[in-house]
Structures are given as structure tokens and as C-alpha cells.
Amino acid sequence: MRTVNYTDGKISNVAIGVSVSSMVIAVGILTYPRLLASKTEAADGWVTLLTAGILSIMITWVIANIASKFPNQSFLDYASFLLSRPVAIAISVLYIIVCWFIVGYELAFIADISQHYLFDRTPTEVVVLAFLLVIVYAVSGSRNAMFRMCFGFMAISIIATIVLVFMSLPFGDFDHLLPVFTTDWKTYIKELPNGILSYTGGFILLFYMKLNRDPKKGPKSAAIGVSVVVILYVSIYLACIAVLGNVTTANTIYPLVELANTIHSAGFLDRIESLYYVIWITTIFLTCILAYDVSVMIITDLFPKANKKYITFGICPIIFSLSILPANYYQLGLYASIVGYSSIILTVLTIMTLNMMYFFKRKKKQEIKQ
């Protein structure tokens, strides 16, 4: 009889790939096609999405690779070895803050889109609190159960999105995709940072890799996880342009929801966009629980005697306060830019420093042996 291998608290490489995909697929799947279409001609935005995706795959691989060099060690442990403990603590605290702001932004976005499509008379604070309590409940439980939930929800989301893209083909006008490469190359470069923002989230591997049973294969699994997201994003963008056109996509707040609204299900569902709305909300929910859980993990690494459940419930008021900061859609966009760029800058500086110090320490060790 085969034993249940997740009772040891470890996770597989499949879970590593799924966790990265779950973290990366967030609100960008709903909003970024509009932003990209407003800056590019026809369907040329796929160039930016693909280029940014390749760069994100490389960054994710580097993150997983440096973390895999120290199996079964927390970020605090190997960062203390490479950089010094005060620096490791400082970086850990910064990541706690970044994770809190990510959850706060995602909750604020959920409240905004929920008022557009579901709860138009419900106060924002009530919607945020309802989602936040579900997140707290998920994080306070078993971490392995959380990863299994990510696998189930991600499978449903990916399959549903693929079905949507194929269902939209008969409604598409492929002349909307032409002509190609008419956008100025300077625009591609200018939009590249925003493209990378839509793939942020790989930093969680700095902390989750210690749970991996087979760290050597972790970087490959992480890269595959982001690759799935890249293919999904490019397909969604092309479907939006083909069905809605560049101008309509650029002037629609949530193009993907509008894309679902154009698909008729032959009498099975009159408002199929409501079903897809619920499915996509689960992807945002997964991003929230992963970011929330990473912050809890960092705090428990800093304070080993602290109770996980007390920490999970204790930071709940902080997250709630951060989630009600944006007062309108403009502030929500500004919030996203600040959180996204902060995450990217912190992650790039961290992995560059870690890899440099790892290289110097390994070189010094080899010189001593000789």
C-alpha cells in the first residue's frame, strides 16, 4: 500500500510549480489586457507579454536555484550565512511588509470588482472583511492542505480559461490581430516593466523551497509554473483583441470579464460571465493566502516560539487597514504600481546579493582547499 507522503510537512515539485502559478495569476489577468491594448497597436501587446514572461521565467529560476542550494534551510538561515543575520532580518521584515501590502491590494481589488458585478449596495468594508476572514481561516490551518487547495483551484481556473479562449474563437474577427509589428519598438521597451509586474510573485520560493522534498528539481518546476502563466496570459490577450478589438479592449475596465460576457452557452447559462467571475476570484484568493502565509512563515522564523494561529489572527487588523486605503479606481492603480515595483526591486536586489555572496564564498572555499 502506498503511504501518504505529505504527512512529513514537505511538498513536491508539482506543488512548487502550482504555488508559483497561483501567486503570479492575480488581478493582472483581469486588468492588464486593457492597459497593454491602450499602449500598443492591434495585437502587438503579445510581444511585451512574451518578452516580460521570458524574463520572469529566468528570474524565477534564479530565485529557486539559490534557495535550492540550501535544502531544508529557511530564508533567514541561509541569508544569515551569506549576508549576516542583521541584513537577513532586515530583508525578512521588508518581505513581511510587501506581503501585507499585496494582500491588502488584492482585497481592495476584490471589493472593487465585486461592487461592479455582484454587491453594488454592499459597503466595501463588509466585502473586504468577508474575504479576509476566509483567507485567515485557510492560512491558520495545515500548510499542506493549503497547497492541495491551490492545486485544485488552479486546475479549475486554467481549464475554464482555456475553454473560454476556445469558445471565443467563433466570435473573433482575426482582422483585429492585423497588421503586426506596427507599434514603435520604444513602446515595447517602455511597457516591459509593466509587463514584468503582471508576473510578479516568484519571491515566495525564497521561503517555500525549504519545504521541497527534491530541491534540485525545484528550479525547473518553478520555471514550468511561470511558463504556464505566460502561455495563458498571451492566449487571453489575443482572444480579447480578436473578439473585442484593440479600441474596445483599451476602453473596458475588465476586458476578460467582458470577453466572457460575449460568449453564449446555448441556453445552458444566460450569464456565463458570472461563473467565470467566481472562478477568477479564486485565483485572486490563492494569491492572497500565499502572500499571507509567507508573511506568517517569516514571522515564525524570526520568532520560533510564536504560535502560528495567534500570528495569523493578530495581523488580520493590519491587513484590513491596508485593504481599505484606496478610495477610488485611480488610487487602486497607484497602489498596484507601488506594491508591484517595490516587490520587484526588493526581489532583484535580494537575489543579486545572495548569488554574488554565494559565488564569493564558494570561490573562497575552493581556494582554501587548494
Side-chain angles (χ1 to χ4, degrees), residues 78-93:
Y78 66 80
S80 298
F81 170 72
L82 294 175
L83 305 177
S84 78
R85 190 167 184 82
V87 175
I89 292 175
I91 296 175
S92 298
V93 171

PDB file of all heavy atoms in Angstrom, residues 78-93:
ATOM      1  N   TYR A  78      19.827  30.765   5.557  1.00  0.00           N
ATOM      2  CA  TYR A  78      20.869  30.874   4.519  1.00  0.00           C
ATOM      3  C   TYR A  78      21.201  32.321   4.182  1.00  0.00           C
ATOM      4  O   TYR A  78      22.324  32.620   3.769  1.00  0.00           O
ATOM      5  CB  TYR A  78      20.516  30.060   3.272  1.00  0.00           C
ATOM      6  CG  TYR A  78      19.326  30.492   2.461  1.00  0.00           C
ATOM      7  CD1 TYR A  78      19.413  31.548   1.561  1.00  0.00           C
ATOM      8  CD2 TYR A  78      18.120  29.796   2.542  1.00  0.00           C
ATOM      9  CE1 TYR A  78      18.323  31.912   0.778  1.00  0.00           C
ATOM     10  CE2 TYR A  78      17.026  30.154   1.757  1.00  0.00           C
ATOM     11  CZ  TYR A  78      17.140  31.217   0.878  1.00  0.00           C
ATOM     12  OH  TYR A  78      16.080  31.570   0.097  1.00  0.00           O
ATOM     13  N   ALA A  79      20.252  33.230   4.360  1.00  0.00           N
ATOM     14  CA  ALA A  79      20.573  34.646   4.169  1.00  0.00           C
ATOM     15  C   ALA A  79      21.503  35.141   5.271  1.00  0.00           C
ATOM     16  O   ALA A  79      22.386  35.973   5.017  1.00  0.00           O
ATOM     17  CB  ALA A  79      19.298  35.481   4.144  1.00  0.00           C
ATOM     18  N   SER A  80      21.340  34.630   6.479  1.00  0.00           N
ATOM     19  CA  SER A  80      22.250  34.985   7.577  1.00  0.00           C
ATOM     20  C   SER A  80      23.650  34.476   7.290  1.00  0.00           C
ATOM     21  O   SER A  80      24.647  35.141   7.598  1.00  0.00           O
ATOM     22  CB  SER A  80      21.731  34.401   8.896  1.00  0.00           C
ATOM     23  OG  SER A  80      20.475  34.930   9.225  1.00  0.00           O
ATOM     24  N   PHE A  81      23.743  33.289   6.693  1.00  0.00           N
ATOM     25  CA  PHE A  81      25.052  32.721   6.361  1.00  0.00           C
ATOM     26  C   PHE A  81      25.736  33.518   5.251  1.00  0.00           C
ATOM     27  O   PHE A  81      26.951  33.769   5.306  1.00  0.00           O
ATOM     28  CB  PHE A  81      24.878  31.265   5.918  1.00  0.00           C
ATOM     29  CG  PHE A  81      26.110  30.655   5.320  1.00  0.00           C
ATOM     30  CD1 PHE A  81      27.202  30.318   6.104  1.00  0.00           C
ATOM     31  CD2 PHE A  81      26.177  30.422   3.947  1.00  0.00           C
ATOM     32  CE1 PHE A  81      28.350  29.760   5.542  1.00  0.00           C
ATOM     33  CE2 PHE A  81      27.313  29.867   3.377  1.00  0.00           C
ATOM     34  CZ  PHE A  81      28.401  29.534   4.181  1.00  0.00           C
ATOM     35  N   LEU A  82      24.968  33.938   4.263  1.00  0.00           N
ATOM     36  CA  LEU A  82      25.553  34.632   3.121  1.00  0.00           C
ATOM     37  C   LEU A  82      25.749  36.129   3.362  1.00  0.00           C
ATOM     38  O   LEU A  82      26.738  36.706   2.888  1.00  0.00           O
ATOM     39  CB  LEU A  82      24.673  34.444   1.884  1.00  0.00           C
ATOM     40  CG  LEU A  82      24.558  33.008   1.338  1.00  0.00           C
ATOM     41  CD1 LEU A  82      23.563  32.956   0.189  1.00  0.00           C
ATOM     42  CD2 LEU A  82      25.916  32.497   0.873  1.00  0.00           C
ATOM     43  N   LEU A  83      24.846  36.750   4.083  1.00  0.00           N
ATOM     44  CA  LEU A  83      24.868  38.211   4.195  1.00  0.00           C
ATOM     45  C   LEU A  83      25.145  38.729   5.596  1.00  0.00           C
ATOM     46  O   LEU A  83      25.645  39.833   5.745  1.00  0.00           O
ATOM     47  CB  LEU A  83      23.514  38.781   3.732  1.00  0.00           C
ATOM     48  CG  LEU A  83      23.052  38.380   2.329  1.00  0.00           C
ATOM     49  CD1 LEU A  83      21.671  38.957   2.045  1.00  0.00           C
ATOM     50  CD2 LEU A  83      24.038  38.866   1.281  1.00  0.00           C
ATOM     51  N   SER A  84      24.813  38.002   6.624  1.00  0.00           N
ATOM     52  CA  SER A  84      24.861  38.356   8.047  1.00  0.00           C
ATOM     53  C   SER A  84      23.434  38.383   8.577  1.00  0.00           C
ATOM     54  O   SER A  84      22.483  38.691   7.829  1.00  0.00           O
ATOM     55  CB  SER A  84      25.540  39.704   8.326  1.00  0.00           C
ATOM     56  OG  SER A  84      24.704  40.784   8.045  1.00  0.00           O
ATOM     57  N   ARG A  85      23.270  38.097   9.833  1.00  0.00           N
ATOM     58  CA  ARG A  85      21.934  37.979  10.403  1.00  0.00           C
ATOM     59  C   ARG A  85      21.172  39.308  10.425  1.00  0.00           C
ATOM     60  O   ARG A  85      19.985  39.329  10.093  1.00  0.00           O
ATOM     61  CB  ARG A  85      22.006  37.385  11.813  1.00  0.00           C
ATOM     62  CG  ARG A  85      20.633  37.006  12.363  1.00  0.00           C
ATOM     63  CD  ARG A  85      20.734  36.151  13.597  1.00  0.00           C
ATOM     64  NE  ARG A  85      19.418  35.720  14.054  1.00  0.00           N
ATOM     65  CZ  ARG A  85      18.741  34.690  13.570  1.00  0.00           C
ATOM     66  NH1 ARG A  85      19.254  33.969  12.579  1.00  0.00           N
ATOM     67  NH2 ARG A  85      17.553  34.376  14.045  1.00  0.00           N
ATOM     68  N   PRO A  86      21.795  40.445  10.792  1.00  0.00           N
ATOM     69  CA  PRO A  86      21.037  41.704  10.764  1.00  0.00           C
ATOM     70  C   PRO A  86      20.466  42.022   9.381  1.00  0.00           C
ATOM     71  O   PRO A  86      19.326  42.487   9.262  1.00  0.00           O
ATOM     72  CB  PRO A  86      22.061  42.745  11.206  1.00  0.00           C
ATOM     73  CG  PRO A  86      23.037  41.986  12.031  1.00  0.00           C
ATOM     74  CD  PRO A  86      23.131  40.649  11.378  1.00  0.00           C
ATOM     75  N   VAL A  87      21.268  41.794   8.342  1.00  0.00           N
ATOM     76  CA  VAL A  87      20.792  42.051   6.981  1.00  0.00           C
ATOM     77  C   VAL A  87      19.659  41.091   6.622  1.00  0.00           C
ATOM     78  O   VAL A  87      18.654  41.492   6.015  1.00  0.00           O
ATOM     79  CB  VAL A  87      21.939  41.922   5.967  1.00  0.00           C
ATOM     80  CG1 VAL A  87      21.419  42.068   4.540  1.00  0.00           C
ATOM     81  CG2 VAL A  87      23.016  42.951   6.239  1.00  0.00           C
ATOM     82  N   ALA A  88      19.798  39.826   7.011  1.00  0.00           N
ATOM     83  CA  ALA A  88      18.755  38.841   6.731  1.00  0.00           C
ATOM     84  C   ALA A  88      17.452  39.212   7.435  1.00  0.00           C
ATOM     85  O   ALA A  88      16.362  39.076   6.863  1.00  0.00           O
ATOM     86  CB  ALA A  88      19.210  37.453   7.176  1.00  0.00           C
ATOM     87  N   ILE A  89      17.557  39.682   8.659  1.00  0.00           N
ATOM     88  CA  ILE A  89      16.367  40.102   9.401  1.00  0.00           C
ATOM     89  C   ILE A  89      15.719  41.309   8.730  1.00  0.00           C
ATOM     90  O   ILE A  89      14.488  41.373   8.588  1.00  0.00           O
ATOM     91  CB  ILE A  89      16.728  40.426  10.866  1.00  0.00           C
ATOM     92  CG1 ILE A  89      17.126  39.148  11.602  1.00  0.00           C
ATOM     93  CG2 ILE A  89      15.555  41.104  11.577  1.00  0.00           C
ATOM     94  CD1 ILE A  89      17.627  39.379  13.021  1.00  0.00           C
ATOM     95  N   ALA A  90      16.544  42.262   8.292  1.00  0.00           N
ATOM     96  CA  ALA A  90      16.016  43.463   7.634  1.00  0.00           C
ATOM     97  C   ALA A  90      15.272  43.093   6.354  1.00  0.00           C
ATOM     98  O   ALA A  90      14.162  43.600   6.087  1.00  0.00           O
ATOM     99  CB  ALA A  90      17.145  44.432   7.331  1.00  0.00           C
ATOM    100  N   ILE A  91      15.844  42.207   5.535  1.00  0.00           N
ATOM    101  CA  ILE A  91      15.185  41.778   4.294  1.00  0.00           C
ATOM    102  C   ILE A  91      13.892  41.032   4.614  1.00  0.00           C
ATOM    103  O   ILE A  91      12.864  41.218   3.939  1.00  0.00           O
ATOM    104  CB  ILE A  91      16.131  40.901   3.455  1.00  0.00           C
ATOM    105  CG1 ILE A  91      17.348  41.706   2.997  1.00  0.00           C
ATOM    106  CG2 ILE A  91      15.398  40.330   2.245  1.00  0.00           C
ATOM    107  CD1 ILE A  91      18.397  40.884   2.273  1.00  0.00           C
ATOM    108  N   SER A  92      13.929  40.196   5.641  1.00  0.00           N
ATOM    109  CA  SER A  92      12.730  39.451   6.034  1.00  0.00           C
ATOM    110  C   SER A  92      11.599  40.391   6.434  1.00  0.00           C
ATOM    111  O   SER A  92      10.437  40.187   6.050  1.00  0.00           O
ATOM    112  CB  SER A  92      13.063  38.508   7.194  1.00  0.00           C
ATOM    113  OG  SER A  92      14.029  37.548   6.820  1.00  0.00           O
ATOM    114  N   VAL A  93      11.926  41.419   7.193  1.00  0.00           N
ATOM    115  CA  VAL A  93      10.911  42.392   7.612  1.00  0.00           C
ATOM    116  C   VAL A  93      10.330  43.112   6.398  1.00  0.00           C
ATOM    117  O   VAL A  93       9.119  43.349   6.317  1.00  0.00           O
ATOM    118  CB  VAL A  93      11.509  43.401   8.613  1.00  0.00           C
ATOM    119  CG1 VAL A  93      10.528  44.542   8.889  1.00  0.00           C
ATOM    120  CG2 VAL A  93      11.880  42.698   9.915  1.00  0.00           C
TER     121      VAL A  93
END
